[in-house]
Amino acid sequence: MKSMSKNWPLWEIFIRSKAGLNHKHVGSLHAADAAMAIQNARDVYTRRNEGVSIWVVESSHITASDPDDSDPLYEPAKDKVYRHPTFYDLPDELKHM
Amino acid sequence: MDTNKFNYILQQADNCLILGQRLGEWCGHGPILEQDIAMTNISLDLIGQARLFYQYAAELQDEGKTEDDLAYLRDAWDFRNVKLVEQPNGDFAQTIIRQFLYDTFSCYYYEALKESNDERLASIAAKSHKETLYHVKWSGDWVLRLGDGTSESHERAQSALDLLRPYADELVIPSEADQKAAEEGYGPDLGKIAELRSEKLNAVLSESTLNVPESGFTHSGGKDGRHTEHLGYILADLQFLQRAYPGNKW
């Protein structure tokens, strides 16, 4: 298992659980290429009826923000409550806002 | 009881159970975690199919027995699976080739069995056919990857094919039960399935750069209860608990 895991790249897996919802990140797995990643994702992440659609992306293609930059990136938004649309009166008929 | 129908159902039930058991042996030993899960998923699909057939067979038998009696309390000579499915896992290539030789049969078999005049068989076939379409895609993709992969994977796939090719055709050679089932309309004509299957086999194998060995000899007899030495060992494993602790439940 070890030698193959070293050779096969890691893929991030996104599953859409039903039509209309977003794809959500569910985890990662190893595969030789995109087609195998889809097939592996089907076997690993949808065996309990979790999904209707799968996206895969090679993990190395994802650029992540640096945790050390957390303060400048996210702190400034914390005291700006007026950016949340909570100051409007919504009619009761509107759901899921 | 319709003995021929009973025997006919057991053929496919036993194919599913024994191949399911074989694939289950990979659990925890797969070459990579993702394929370990793929093989056990397929194993569970097959055991699920076996259960549907055994339940129906037990009802036809009408002796107050259940699916468990048929799976756990028959001896090797009562099993009607083909010899292909009891062959050892070998290396990953051998397991893949065995699976592909089986899947290229079962996907066409179930498709045809959906037209059975026996509604119960038709409905089991409808459910199983969908599962089998995935199985044949999985094993077919792997045949392609191994055959047209590295020189080592090609070599291993080729020697697995050389080893197992003589076991492949028993699936499509009609037994007495197959013949009667076709005559009475509850089983498909295996001749048509043989054609479709060999087309698919040849297409995938040649794309995989594997040489199809000239099939001079075909192993047979499994459908009549004559098996290779391997089946006894499989049953020893599979049936141990019910044999040692009769009627035990968990």
Side-chain angles (χ1 to χ4, degrees):
Chain A
M1 197 181 266
K2 265 182 209 152
S3 65
M4 293 188 86
S5 314
K6 266 184 205 158
N7 293 335
W8 287 0
L10 194 65
W11 299 76
E12 300 301 321
I13 310 302
F14 300 81
I15 305 266
R16 181 210 289 275
S17 56
K18 358 177 196 180
L21 296 182
N22 296 329
H23 285 75
K24 264 197 180 156
H25 185 241
V26 292
S28 56
L29 50 72
H30 292 96
D33 55 32
M36 191 194 288
I38 295 256
Q39 214 168 71
N40 287 352
R42 183 266 187 194
D43 280 318
V44 176
Y45 291 113
T46 68
R47 51 201 299 275
R48 298 186 183 87
N49 209 14
E50 291 96 334
V52 295
S53 166
I54 299 172
W55 285 353
V56 300
V57 60
E58 216 179 310
S59 307
S60 61
H61 290 160
I62 289 182
T63 309
S65 62
D66 186 343
D68 289 343
D69 293 340
S70 287
D71 280 355
L73 286 177
Y74 314 118
E75 255 328 289
K78 281 192 177 158
D79 60 357
K80 300 182 172 67
V81 286
Y82 49 84
R83 289 180 180 170
H84 292 273
T86 47
F87 299 96
Y88 303 94
D89 290 325
L90 293 175
D92 290 341
E93 291 76 22
L94 263 183
K95 300 222 162 75
H96 309 302
M97 282 298 280
Chain B
M1 175 180 71
D2 184 341
T3 313
N4 193 74
K5 193 180 263 188
F6 179 73
N7 290 339
Y8 179 74
I9 295 169
L10 285 186
Q11 284 183 176
Q12 186 56 14
D14 293 343
N15 281 342
C16 294
L17 181 69
I18 300 303
L19 187 56
Q21 176 75 8
R22 271 293 189 221
L23 281 178
E25 290 171 14
W26 274 106
C27 187
H29 303 277
I32 188 164
L33 177 141
E34 290 79 2
Q35 294 310 318
D36 194 293
I37 294 179
M39 285 188 280
T40 40
N41 277 351
I42 294 173
S43 165
L44 287 176
D45 284 349
L46 290 169
I47 291 169
Q49 294 170 12
R51 289 193 57 193
L52 297 173
F53 284 117
Y54 284 137
Q55 286 162 3
Y56 186 30
E59 285 170 37
L60 288 178
Q61 197 179 22
D62 199 22
E63 293 177 7
K65 291 183 178 167
T66 69
E67 51 180 322
D68 287 343
D69 292 286
L70 293 172
Y72 294 126
L73 299 177
R74 283 179 306 143
D75 216 329
W77 47 79
D78 293 322
F79 273 74
R80 294 181 169 270
N81 58 278
V82 294
K83 289 176 173 173
L84 174 71
V85 297
E86 66 202 39
Q87 296 310 302
N89 286 341
D91 58 13
F92 185 64
Q94 200 173 316
T95 293
I96 289 297
I97 295 290
R98 183 188 61 201
Q99 193 63 34
F100 184 61
L101 293 175
Y102 174 78
D103 292 338
T104 47
F105 163 76
S106 64
C107 66
Y108 296 116
Y109 173 70
Y110 285 134
E111 189 173 30
L113 189 65
K114 286 198 275 187
E115 309 303 322
S116 170
N117 64 12
D118 181 312
E119 278 178 27
R120 184 80 170 265
L121 288 179
S123 79
I124 296 173
K127 178 187 182 291
S128 307
H129 183 231
K130 285 182 206 143
E131 295 173 344
T132 313
L133 287 177
Y134 179 74
H135 301 170
V136 74
K137 181 177 178 353
W138 178 82
S139 59
D141 282 1
W142 270 110
V143 168
L144 194 58
R145 284 176 191 283
L146 295 177
D148 197 14
T150 65
S151 59
E152 185 182 355
S153 71
H154 176 87
E155 230 165 81
R156 285 177 184 246
Q158 185 64 58
S159 50
L161 186 61
D162 294 345
L163 179 75
L164 293 174
R165 182 67 186 84
Y167 291 96
D169 286 342
E170 187 184 1
L171 284 160
V172 288
I173 297 173
S175 64
E176 199 189 319
D178 288 322
Q179 258 163 13
K180 231 173 160 187
E183 278 163 25
E184 295 186 15
Y186 58 82
D189 170 12
L190 290 184
K192 277 182 207 153
I193 292 168
E195 275 172 38
L196 292 166
R197 177 193 191 223
S198 106
E199 226 170 85
K200 171 87 174 171
L201 270 180
N202 291 334
V204 175
L205 292 176
S206 73
E207 197 187 346
S208 312
T209 72
L210 294 169
N211 293 320
V212 186
E214 292 296 321
S215 54
F217 173 71
T218 294
H219 290 280
S220 61
K223 289 178 178 180
D224 297 316
R226 295 193 307 280
H227 293 282
T228 61
E229 58 180 322
H230 306 296
L231 184 63
Y233 291 97
I234 296 173
L235 294 183
D237 222 12
L238 175 79
Q239 299 182 333
F240 168 78
L241 210 118
Q242 280 306 313
R243 299 288 194 182
Y245 306 95
N248 206 8
K249 288 191 171 131
W250 65 92

PDB file of all heavy atoms in Angstrom, chain B residues 64-77:
ATOM      1  N   GLY B  64     -39.668 -25.294   4.305  1.00  0.00           N
ATOM      2  CA  GLY B  64     -39.488 -24.550   5.545  1.00  0.00           C
ATOM      3  C   GLY B  64     -38.053 -24.092   5.754  1.00  0.00           C
ATOM      4  O   GLY B  64     -37.662 -23.714   6.855  1.00  0.00           O
ATOM      5  N   LYS B  65     -37.256 -24.157   4.682  1.00  0.00           N
ATOM      6  CA  LYS B  65     -35.873 -23.718   4.801  1.00  0.00           C
ATOM      7  C   LYS B  65     -35.733 -22.246   4.390  1.00  0.00           C
ATOM      8  O   LYS B  65     -36.636 -21.673   3.797  1.00  0.00           O
ATOM      9  CB  LYS B  65     -34.966 -24.582   3.931  1.00  0.00           C
ATOM     10  CG  LYS B  65     -34.851 -26.003   4.458  1.00  0.00           C
ATOM     11  CD  LYS B  65     -33.892 -26.812   3.627  1.00  0.00           C
ATOM     12  CE  LYS B  65     -33.760 -28.218   4.195  1.00  0.00           C
ATOM     13  NZ  LYS B  65     -33.077 -29.113   3.255  1.00  0.00           N
ATOM     14  N   THR B  66     -34.586 -21.668   4.729  1.00  0.00           N
ATOM     15  CA  THR B  66     -34.369 -20.260   4.412  1.00  0.00           C
ATOM     16  C   THR B  66     -33.137 -20.106   3.529  1.00  0.00           C
ATOM     17  O   THR B  66     -32.428 -21.065   3.240  1.00  0.00           O
ATOM     18  CB  THR B  66     -34.128 -19.426   5.679  1.00  0.00           C
ATOM     19  OG1 THR B  66     -32.849 -19.811   6.214  1.00  0.00           O
ATOM     20  CG2 THR B  66     -35.200 -19.660   6.707  1.00  0.00           C
ATOM     21  N   GLU B  67     -32.893 -18.833   3.141  1.00  0.00           N
ATOM     22  CA  GLU B  67     -31.691 -18.521   2.376  1.00  0.00           C
ATOM     23  C   GLU B  67     -30.431 -19.018   3.101  1.00  0.00           C
ATOM     24  O   GLU B  67     -29.467 -19.436   2.472  1.00  0.00           O
ATOM     25  CB  GLU B  67     -31.603 -17.007   2.161  1.00  0.00           C
ATOM     26  CG  GLU B  67     -31.762 -16.222   3.460  1.00  0.00           C
ATOM     27  CD  GLU B  67     -31.694 -14.705   3.292  1.00  0.00           C
ATOM     28  OE1 GLU B  67     -30.890 -14.229   2.476  1.00  0.00           O
ATOM     29  OE2 GLU B  67     -32.451 -14.005   4.000  1.00  0.00           O
ATOM     30  N   ASP B  68     -30.438 -18.955   4.436  1.00  0.00           N
ATOM     31  CA  ASP B  68     -29.252 -19.366   5.192  1.00  0.00           C
ATOM     32  C   ASP B  68     -28.961 -20.859   5.030  1.00  0.00           C
ATOM     33  O   ASP B  68     -27.807 -21.267   4.968  1.00  0.00           O
ATOM     34  CB  ASP B  68     -29.430 -19.037   6.677  1.00  0.00           C
ATOM     35  CG  ASP B  68     -29.330 -17.540   6.926  1.00  0.00           C
ATOM     36  OD1 ASP B  68     -28.820 -16.835   6.031  1.00  0.00           O
ATOM     37  OD2 ASP B  68     -29.777 -17.084   8.000  1.00  0.00           O
ATOM     38  N   ASP B  69     -30.016 -21.677   5.007  1.00  0.00           N
ATOM     39  CA  ASP B  69     -29.797 -23.112   4.792  1.00  0.00           C
ATOM     40  C   ASP B  69     -29.083 -23.347   3.475  1.00  0.00           C
ATOM     41  O   ASP B  69     -28.180 -24.171   3.385  1.00  0.00           O
ATOM     42  CB  ASP B  69     -31.136 -23.869   4.774  1.00  0.00           C
ATOM     43  CG  ASP B  69     -31.800 -23.865   6.134  1.00  0.00           C
ATOM     44  OD1 ASP B  69     -31.325 -24.586   7.011  1.00  0.00           O
ATOM     45  OD2 ASP B  69     -32.777 -23.105   6.316  1.00  0.00           O
ATOM     46  N   LEU B  70     -29.519 -22.607   2.450  1.00  0.00           N
ATOM     47  CA  LEU B  70     -28.932 -22.817   1.120  1.00  0.00           C
ATOM     48  C   LEU B  70     -27.479 -22.339   1.081  1.00  0.00           C
ATOM     49  O   LEU B  70     -26.633 -22.951   0.451  1.00  0.00           O
ATOM     50  CB  LEU B  70     -29.767 -22.098   0.058  1.00  0.00           C
ATOM     51  CG  LEU B  70     -31.169 -22.685  -0.135  1.00  0.00           C
ATOM     52  CD1 LEU B  70     -32.007 -21.813  -1.051  1.00  0.00           C
ATOM     53  CD2 LEU B  70     -31.068 -24.106  -0.694  1.00  0.00           C
ATOM     54  N   ALA B  71     -27.179 -21.262   1.774  1.00  0.00           N
ATOM     55  CA  ALA B  71     -25.812 -20.736   1.731  1.00  0.00           C
ATOM     56  C   ALA B  71     -24.876 -21.511   2.656  1.00  0.00           C
ATOM     57  O   ALA B  71     -23.732 -21.786   2.298  1.00  0.00           O
ATOM     58  CB  ALA B  71     -25.820 -19.252   2.109  1.00  0.00           C
ATOM     59  N   TYR B  72     -25.373 -21.874   3.828  1.00  0.00           N
ATOM     60  CA  TYR B  72     -24.460 -22.380   4.858  1.00  0.00           C
ATOM     61  C   TYR B  72     -24.483 -23.886   5.050  1.00  0.00           C
ATOM     62  O   TYR B  72     -23.599 -24.431   5.684  1.00  0.00           O
ATOM     63  CB  TYR B  72     -24.777 -21.715   6.200  1.00  0.00           C
ATOM     64  CG  TYR B  72     -24.483 -20.239   6.197  1.00  0.00           C
ATOM     65  CD1 TYR B  72     -25.459 -19.312   6.570  1.00  0.00           C
ATOM     66  CD2 TYR B  72     -23.229 -19.764   5.831  1.00  0.00           C
ATOM     67  CE1 TYR B  72     -25.191 -17.958   6.572  1.00  0.00           C
ATOM     68  CE2 TYR B  72     -22.958 -18.414   5.827  1.00  0.00           C
ATOM     69  CZ  TYR B  72     -23.939 -17.513   6.194  1.00  0.00           C
ATOM     70  OH  TYR B  72     -23.668 -16.174   6.197  1.00  0.00           O
ATOM     71  N   LEU B  73     -25.507 -24.557   4.553  1.00  0.00           N
ATOM     72  CA  LEU B  73     -25.625 -25.972   4.905  1.00  0.00           C
ATOM     73  C   LEU B  73     -25.625 -26.918   3.704  1.00  0.00           C
ATOM     74  O   LEU B  73     -26.025 -28.073   3.828  1.00  0.00           O
ATOM     75  CB  LEU B  73     -26.882 -26.197   5.764  1.00  0.00           C
ATOM     76  CG  LEU B  73     -26.882 -25.429   7.102  1.00  0.00           C
ATOM     77  CD1 LEU B  73     -28.185 -25.642   7.846  1.00  0.00           C
ATOM     78  CD2 LEU B  73     -25.699 -25.825   7.975  1.00  0.00           C
ATOM     79  N   ARG B  74     -25.193 -26.441   2.552  1.00  0.00           N
ATOM     80  CA  ARG B  74     -25.020 -27.375   1.441  1.00  0.00           C
ATOM     81  C   ARG B  74     -23.540 -27.667   1.288  1.00  0.00           C
ATOM     82  O   ARG B  74     -22.691 -26.815   1.584  1.00  0.00           O
ATOM     83  CB  ARG B  74     -25.558 -26.769   0.133  1.00  0.00           C
ATOM     84  CG  ARG B  74     -27.091 -26.804   0.027  1.00  0.00           C
ATOM     85  CD  ARG B  74     -27.543 -26.156  -1.275  1.00  0.00           C
ATOM     86  NE  ARG B  74     -26.979 -24.823  -1.381  1.00  0.00           N
ATOM     87  CZ  ARG B  74     -26.552 -24.280  -2.506  1.00  0.00           C
ATOM     88  NH1 ARG B  74     -26.626 -24.947  -3.647  1.00  0.00           N
ATOM     89  NH2 ARG B  74     -26.033 -23.070  -2.519  1.00  0.00           N
ATOM     90  N   ASP B  75     -23.214 -28.857   0.806  1.00  0.00           N
ATOM     91  CA  ASP B  75     -21.798 -29.176   0.605  1.00  0.00           C
ATOM     92  C   ASP B  75     -21.390 -28.849  -0.835  1.00  0.00           C
ATOM     93  O   ASP B  75     -22.233 -28.519  -1.660  1.00  0.00           O
ATOM     94  CB  ASP B  75     -21.541 -30.653   0.932  1.00  0.00           C
ATOM     95  CG  ASP B  75     -20.173 -30.818   1.576  1.00  0.00           C
ATOM     96  OD1 ASP B  75     -19.267 -30.023   1.250  1.00  0.00           O
ATOM     97  OD2 ASP B  75     -20.010 -31.740   2.406  1.00  0.00           O
ATOM     98  N   ALA B  76     -20.088 -28.982  -1.099  1.00  0.00           N
ATOM     99  CA  ALA B  76     -19.528 -28.500  -2.370  1.00  0.00           C
ATOM    100  C   ALA B  76     -20.265 -29.061  -3.592  1.00  0.00           C
ATOM    101  O   ALA B  76     -20.523 -28.342  -4.557  1.00  0.00           O
ATOM    102  CB  ALA B  76     -18.050 -28.817  -2.452  1.00  0.00           C
ATOM    103  N   TRP B  77     -20.621 -30.345  -3.556  1.00  0.00           N
ATOM    104  CA  TRP B  77     -21.239 -30.946  -4.762  1.00  0.00           C
ATOM    105  C   TRP B  77     -22.651 -30.432  -5.019  1.00  0.00           C
ATOM    106  O   TRP B  77     -23.208 -30.678  -6.073  1.00  0.00           O
ATOM    107  CB  TRP B  77     -21.230 -32.487  -4.661  1.00  0.00           C
ATOM    108  CG  TRP B  77     -21.704 -32.991  -3.327  1.00  0.00           C
ATOM    109  CD1 TRP B  77     -22.982 -33.103  -2.903  1.00  0.00           C
ATOM    110  CD2 TRP B  77     -20.866 -33.441  -2.253  1.00  0.00           C
ATOM    111  NE1 TRP B  77     -23.015 -33.576  -1.627  1.00  0.00           N
ATOM    112  CE2 TRP B  77     -21.743 -33.811  -1.202  1.00  0.00           C
ATOM    113  CE3 TRP B  77     -19.489 -33.573  -2.079  1.00  0.00           C
ATOM    114  CZ2 TRP B  77     -21.254 -34.290   0.022  1.00  0.00           C
ATOM    115  CZ3 TRP B  77     -19.021 -34.055  -0.866  1.00  0.00           C
ATOM    116  CH2 TRP B  77     -19.895 -34.407   0.169  1.00  0.00           C
TER     117      TRP B  77
END
